[in-house]
């Protein structure tokens, strides 16, 4: 059963029902339309006599790992079910590989109309395309054959681990760590160890002589930069007790079969697919946008930094910090806001006010705006969520903006692709990959590129980020490195400075959706309750019921709310009108910006005096 589970990638039920599910799942899900993705069938069960396939090689187009960078030509080599690729055939001969997947362990989907092949091998998703029909057919048929051959081999030798990537050194071998980034982290840790030596030495010296204390203190600061990480800007010191626990732990006995929901939606945008509430976490997308401000103190730091290159260091670190909370959040998806749903988050303790609104339904677009005395932050986001058989790719479209009025800075950046691996079985984990480019739209004296490094084989180097802040001529002024779920450092080890470190995660987070303290606070009903518009997410019943652990009622309410939304849509269509968002307007460049009326209307005349649609 283990080996079947491994290559079917489904949570296997009780042994007695195993045969049935295996039979059901291994049948081809044929969708007889050239528009749709077809999942290629796997081995039908038991062992069969699959002849060793012939090698296949040649160029195919491979989609680059970050969005909107198009396709590039790569040379592929398929042998006994293992697909390797590199720049050209000589590179492959020399062993200079860019990657390697086990076709037997991947979910394979093809789209005839666009001549695309997708291989989801959990660690990597390959999106391939072939221009010529003839070559496409040849590759598809070869891949099918190799896949069956490989699955047969795995079924026969299920416990032979060395077998999985026969063309790669075993995971324990240090030869694996070829990439420069891995070496850098190794270097970083050894140098941190060296730092400890230095610190011990300095402490000793310190005891000997007070005279040198000033010098020593400086030295210690430079080797122990974490001590210097930013304290929160908390001038108003508003004492406000917020909850530190959700009312109910996450349900952990879901019997929903994700595969049944997902298998007919391979390659489709999942934001349009209705999902049962059991798959949700008790937060919605509007609140998730607010979570990007968890470390808003980095923006406050930027706003009090004179040097533009140093300001960029804080901005870049802020951008990375926005991904930290995703590390523990692979368990559930946020609720999709209904059209017209709003959310406010007033945090005098952090010095900002945030509002968000769902401004469009098809495509779903969420817009948000936050301001403080130091900065303004806004963005509109639409995410395409695609499921590829084992993993879910989340491709966000849109630009995030921050202005620092003090300096006339206006920063803009894109987001990277996120991928949740092992959706159906095994340990889920999330990865972000791609490149973020931050620029100051009103001047080019300083720019920044941050790379979220795609995990290499095995997991020696997960979650790494690297960045460089350059001047007009492209000269590197500051270097950044670290891990998006842990910390960001500036400079070169050992004198690198810790710019940011993620807050500790609550001890019992596993039972509570993996929420950080900040996330726990987002849906709390506090004293502002009476001032909220009736469209505020906090008042949304299905989400509240899920938070309270009442799954059945939550599911019922979710369906009711979705039905209400469909009815409102129909009314709009019949009256030939389009939906008007309340607090955001479309700007000239087609982005959604706040029309700055929310907080004024909240104060006077108050939302109780204003008409809102009934969303729930
Ligand atoms: C389910 O949750 C309960 C309490 O919330 C916990 O004791 C139990 O170990 C959990 N079961 C699993 C399989 O995680
Ligand atoms: C799942 O958990 C809920 C709440 O803990 C409980 O009421 C329900 O009976 C459980 N269902 C199953 C199938 O164990
Ligand atoms: C951004 O542009 C403004 C206006 O030209 C300039 O004053 C500021 O120094 C720039 N900041 C950075 C970080 O490039
Ligand atoms: C990844 O690393 C962690 C900790 O280093 C280890 O426990 C885990 O087994 C590794 N997983 C794989 C797939 O190598
Ligand atoms: C709906 O609006 C469009 C454009 O505003 C117009 O061309 C069309 O005639 C309208 N249809 C009806 C039935 O009013
Ligand atoms: C803000 O937008 C709302 C809804 O579109 C509109 O009613 C209001 O007049 C706008 N206010 C301003 C100042 O543009």
């Amino acid at each position: 059963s283990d080996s079947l589970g491994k290559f079917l990638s489904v949570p296997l039920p009780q042994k007695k029902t195993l045969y049935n599910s295996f039979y059901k799942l291994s049948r081809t899900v044929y969708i007889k339309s050239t528009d749709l993705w077809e999942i290629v069938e796997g081995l039908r069960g038991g062992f069969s006599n699959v002849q060793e396939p012939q090698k296949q090689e040649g160029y195919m187009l491979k989609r680059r790992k970050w969005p909107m960078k198009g396709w590039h030509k790569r040379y592929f080599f398929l042998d006994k079910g293992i697909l390797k690729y590199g720049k050209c055939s000589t590179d492959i001969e020399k062993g200079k590989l860019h990657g390697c997947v086990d076709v037997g362990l991947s979910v394979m989907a093809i789209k005839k109309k666009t001549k695309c092949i997708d291989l989801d091998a959990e660690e990597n998703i390959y999106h391939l395309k072939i221009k010529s029909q003839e070559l496409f057919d040849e590759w598809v048929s070869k891949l099918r054959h190799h896949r069956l051959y490989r699955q047969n081999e795995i079924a026969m030798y299920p416990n032979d681990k060395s077998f999985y990537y026969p063309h790669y050194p075993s995971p324990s071998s240090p030869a694996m760590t070829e990439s420069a980034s891995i070496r850098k982290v190794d270097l970083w840790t050894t140098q941190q160890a060296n730092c400890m030596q230095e610190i011990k030495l300095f402490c000793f010296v310190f005891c000997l002589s007070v005279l040198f204390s000033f010098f020593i203190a400086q030295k210690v600061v430079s080797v122990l930069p974490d001590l210097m990480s930013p304290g929160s800007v908390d001038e108003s010191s508003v004492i406000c007790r917020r909850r530190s626990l959700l009312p109910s732990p996450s349900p952990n006995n879901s019997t929903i079969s994700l595969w049944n929901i997902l298998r007919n939606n391979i390659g489709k945008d999942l934001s349009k697919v209705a999902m049962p509430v059991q798959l949700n976490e008790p937060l919605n997308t509007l609140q998730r946008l607010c979570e990007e401000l968890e470390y808003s103190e980095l923006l406050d730091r930027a706003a009090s930094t004179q040097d533009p290159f140093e300001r960029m260091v804080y901005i870049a670190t802020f951008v990375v910090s926005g991904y930290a909370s995703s590390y523990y959040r692979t368990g559930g998806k946020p609720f999709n806001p209904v059209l017209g749903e709003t959310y406010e988050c007033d945090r005098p303790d952090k010095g900002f006010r945030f509002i968000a609104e769902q401004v469009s339904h098809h495509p779903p677009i969420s817009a948000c705006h936050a301001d403080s005395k130091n900065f303004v932050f806004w963005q509109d986001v639409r995410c395409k969520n695609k499921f590829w058989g084992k993993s879910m790719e989340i491709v966000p479209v849109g630009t995030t903006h921050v202005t620092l009025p003090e300096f006339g800075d206006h920063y803009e950046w894109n987001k990277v692709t996120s991928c949740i691996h092992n959706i159906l079985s095994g340990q889920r984990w999330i990865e972000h990959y791609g490149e973020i480019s931050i620029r100051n739209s009103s001047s080019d004296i300083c720019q920044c590129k941050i790379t979220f490094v795609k995990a290499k084989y095995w997991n020696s180097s997960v979650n790494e980020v690297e960045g460089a802040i350059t001047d007009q001529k492209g000269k590197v002024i500051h270097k950044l490195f670290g891990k998006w779920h842990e910390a960001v450092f500036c400079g070169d080890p050992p004198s690198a400075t810790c710019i940011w470190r993620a807050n500790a995660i609550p001890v019992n987070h596993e039972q509570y959706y993996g929420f950080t303290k900040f996330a726990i606070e987002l849906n709390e009903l506090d004293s502002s309750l009476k001032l909220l518009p009736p469209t505020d997410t906090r008042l949304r019943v299905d989400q509240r019921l899920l938070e309270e652990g009442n799954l059945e009622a939550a599911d019922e309410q979710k369906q009711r709310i979705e039905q209400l939304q469909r009815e409102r849509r129909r009314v709009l269509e019949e009256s030939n009108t389009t939906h008007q968002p309340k607090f955001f307007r479309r700007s000239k460049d087609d982005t959604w910006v706040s029309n700055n009326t929310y907080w004024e209307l909240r104060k006077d005349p108050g939302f109780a005096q204003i008409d809102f649609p009934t969303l729930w």
Side-chain angles (χ1 to χ4, degrees):
S1 80
D2 279 347
S3 63
L4 294 187
K6 209 167 268 160
F7 61 82
L8 283 177
S9 270
V10 291
L12 283 177
Q14 310 297 328
K15 282 217 167 116
K16 57 185 175 207
T17 57
L18 177 67
Y19 176 76
N20 279 344
S21 6
F22 180 40
Y23 176 72
K24 250 187 266 164
L25 293 168
S26 60
R27 273 165 41 200
T28 314
V29 187
Y30 255 107
I31 304 161
K32 298 263 185 218
S33 156
T34 48
D35 273 6
L36 295 176
W37 288 93
E38 171 201 329
I39 311 168
V40 173
E41 74 179 291
L43 199 62
R44 271 179 190 247
F47 311 128
S48 47
N49 196 1
V50 186
Q51 278 203 336
E52 185 175 323
Q54 281 183 342
K55 294 179 183 126
Q56 164 82 0
E57 56 190 304
Y59 282 103
M60 288 193 267
L61 294 173
K62 178 175 180 301
R63 205 178 78 189
R64 285 172 186 262
K65 261 307 163 201
W66 28 94
M68 288 163 304
K69 287 260 174 101
W71 300 77
H72 50 195
K73 225 168 116 178
R74 286 293 175 261
Y75 199 84
F76 285 83
F77 183 84
L78 177 63
D79 184 18
K80 299 198 184 81
I82 305 294
L83 182 68
K84 304 186 274 186
Y85 82 99
K87 261 220 168 89
C88 54
S89 63
T90 43
D91 273 8
I92 305 240
E93 279 159 26
K94 284 190 218 144
K96 267 170 74 180
L97 301 185
H98 286 196
C100 172
V101 299
D102 187 329
V103 179
L105 293 175
S106 357
V107 173
M108 178 176 163
I110 57 177
K111 197 177 194 174
K112 289 196 171 121
K113 193 174 178 186
T114 49
K115 300 198 270 300
C116 288
I117 303 173
D118 281 83
L119 290 170
D120 182 345
E122 194 214 318
E123 294 205 358
N124 290 283
I125 309 170
Y126 288 0
H127 301 293
L128 307 173
K129 193 151 91 170
I130 299 152
K131 287 217 178 105
S132 127
Q133 184 68 49
E134 213 177 303
L135 278 177
F136 173 75
D137 292 342
E138 187 181 331
W139 269 106
V140 168
S141 110
K142 278 283 165 50
L143 279 165
R144 280 177 197 266
H145 186 181
H146 278 259
R147 192 156 167 272
L148 288 179
Y149 173 78
R150 181 82 186 127
Q151 291 184 342
N152 199 43
E153 279 199 310
I154 296 167
M156 284 197 285
Y157 311 101
N159 294 323
D160 187 356
K161 285 268 164 46
S162 66
F163 200 65
Y164 285 172
Y165 286 93
H167 302 273
Y168 259 86
S170 80
S172 55
S173 147
M176 275 310 297
T177 54
E178 278 169 3
S179 104
S181 55
I182 298 173
R183 256 185 273 124
K184 188 188 227 164
V185 163
D186 291 343
L187 186 72
W188 170 32
T189 37
T190 49
Q191 274 168 337
Q192 275 189 334
N194 292 346
C195 288
M196 287 314 292
Q197 298 280 338
E198 257 181 89
I199 292 161
K200 280 182 198 151
L201 178 67
F202 280 125
C203 291
F204 175 67
V205 176
F206 187 85
C207 294
L208 285 183
S209 167
V210 211
L211 258 182
F212 286 103
S213 64
F214 176 69
F215 165 76
I216 290 158
Q218 278 204 326
K219 193 70 186 170
V220 169
V221 163
S222 78
V223 291
L224 229 199
D226 307 11
L227 290 176
M228 298 292 290
S229 64
S232 66
V233 182
D234 193 11
E235 279 159 29
S236 49
S237 283
V238 180
I239 297 169
C240 178
R241 203 158 287 152
R242 290 174 195 275
R243 69 179 180 187
S244 57
L245 196 62
L246 292 175
S248 171
S250 37
N252 61 359
N253 58 359
S254 167
T255 50
I256 299 285
S257 166
L258 257 181
W259 175 248
N260 284 342
I261 301 165
L262 293 176
R263 68 169 176 189
N264 293 326
N265 292 296
I266 287 211
K268 282 194 212 160
D269 187 351
L270 289 184
S271 52
K272 290 175 192 154
V273 179
M275 301 273 192
V277 77
Q278 280 90 335
L279 306 180
N280 284 9
E281 57 176 24
L283 281 181
N284 83 355
T285 305
L286 303 177
Q287 292 165 316
R288 276 267 186 121
L289 292 181
C290 187
E291 257 192 287
E292 291 177 26
L293 287 168
E294 177 165 359
Y295 299 96
S296 62
E297 63 267 20
L298 288 163
L299 295 180
D300 298 317
R301 278 287 286 267
S304 62
T305 303
Q306 285 296 324
D307 179 73
F309 300 102
E310 273 178 44
R311 280 209 294 285
M312 191 61 110
V313 168
Y314 290 115
I315 299 292
T317 307
F318 169 75
V319 173
V320 174
S321 76
Y323 288 89
S325 67
S326 65
Y327 185 67
Y328 298 96
R329 297 283 279 285
T330 54
K333 63 183 277 300
F335 276 83
N336 292 331
V338 294
L339 187 60
E341 187 166 340
T342 61
Y343 176 69
E344 71 159 62
C345 183
D346 185 12
R347 294 295 298 242
D349 55 329
K350 286 176 159 281
F352 71 77
R353 298 186 303 189
F354 170 97
I355 60 157
E357 180 174 2
Q358 189 71 3
V359 293
S360 161
H361 185 56
H362 278 312
I365 300 175
S366 315
C368 72
H369 179 97
D371 48 44
S372 92
K373 69 181 186 351
N374 295 324
F375 64 84
V376 186
F377 165 95
W378 73 97
Q379 62 177 334
D380 62 57
V381 187
R382 84 152 292 212
C383 284
K384 289 183 189 166
N385 300 331
K386 290 199 172 173
F387 173 66
W388 293 109
K390 289 193 172 194
S391 328
M392 176 120 73
E393 259 188 318
I394 302 155
V395 184
V397 184
T399 306
T400 312
H401 302 257
V402 160
T403 58
L404 303 178
E406 173 81 16
F407 296 104
D409 294 359
H410 179 168
Y411 302 95
E412 294 181 341
W413 66 88
N414 60 295
K415 288 190 154 73
V416 290
T417 299
S418 304
C419 186
I420 303 173
H421 296 275
N422 265 342
I423 290 280
L424 297 171
S425 67
Q427 183 72 42
R428 274 190 214 166
W429 54 286
I430 188 164
E431 178 179 33
H432 307 291
Y433 40 77
E435 201 173 81
I436 291 179
S437 159
I438 312 174
R439 49 192 204 95
N440 180 5
S441 65
S442 43
S443 132
D444 63 355
I445 59 165
C446 165
Q447 37 233 287
C448 176
K449 274 217 163 70
I450 311 167
T451 307
F452 284 65
V453 183
K454 174 94 179 74
K456 300 292 184 300
Y457 291 95
W458 325 112
N459 64 0
S460 49
S461 70
V462 292
N463 302 346
E464 272 187 45
V465 292
E466 305 171 336
I469 288 153
T470 49
D471 68 5
Q472 257 158 329
K473 300 193 187 91
K475 187 175 153 227
V476 176
I477 308 292
H478 292 296
K479 274 198 266 182
L480 297 174
F481 65 99
K483 297 193 172 213
W484 55 257
H485 71 301
E486 267 173 18
V488 169
F489 298 82
C490 178
D492 287 307
S495 59
T497 311
C498 178
I499 307 295
W500 160 82
R501 194 173 274 289
N503 294 329
I505 183 93
V507 277
N508 49 7
H509 65 273
E510 275 163 2
Q511 283 153 43
Y512 291 91
Y513 302 94
F515 282 7
T516 62
K517 170 127 190 3
F518 188 66
I520 290 171
E521 293 162 1
L522 287 172
N523 201 43
E524 181 174 14
L525 279 170
D526 53 19
S527 54
S528 66
L529 176 60
K530 283 193 222 76
L531 304 172
L532 295 178
T535 50
D536 195 281
T537 302
R538 279 187 192 75
L539 305 172
R540 183 167 166 170
V541 262
D542 51 353
Q543 189 175 318
R544 183 66 57 190
L545 284 163
L546 176 64
E547 191 185 281
E548 288 162 358
N550 191 343
L551 273 175
E552 240 167 82
D555 210 29
E556 217 168 87
Q557 291 294 330
K558 183 166 177 282
Q559 288 178 30
R560 187 181 66 87
I561 290 169
E562 282 162 358
Q563 182 57 28
L564 280 175
Q565 165 156 269
R566 281 190 286 274
E567 278 162 23
R568 282 195 308 279
R569 245 178 101 73
R570 194 173 43 81
V571 170
L572 274 181
E573 271 164 20
E574 279 169 7
S575 64
N576 204 10
T577 44
T578 51
H579 171 80
Q580 282 300 319
K582 273 240 168 357
F583 307 109
F584 288 81
R585 61 182 168 79
R586 216 190 266 267
S587 74
K588 274 173 262 134
D589 57 352
D590 213 30
T591 59
W592 289 89
V593 295
S594 160
N595 79 1
N596 294 321
T597 52
Y598 186 92
W599 297 103
E600 278 163 38
L601 293 175
R602 185 184 191 265
K603 203 160 99 199
D604 180 30
F607 292 131
Q609 312 300 317
I610 297 175
D611 269 349
F612 283 94
T614 308
L615 301 185
W616 39 75

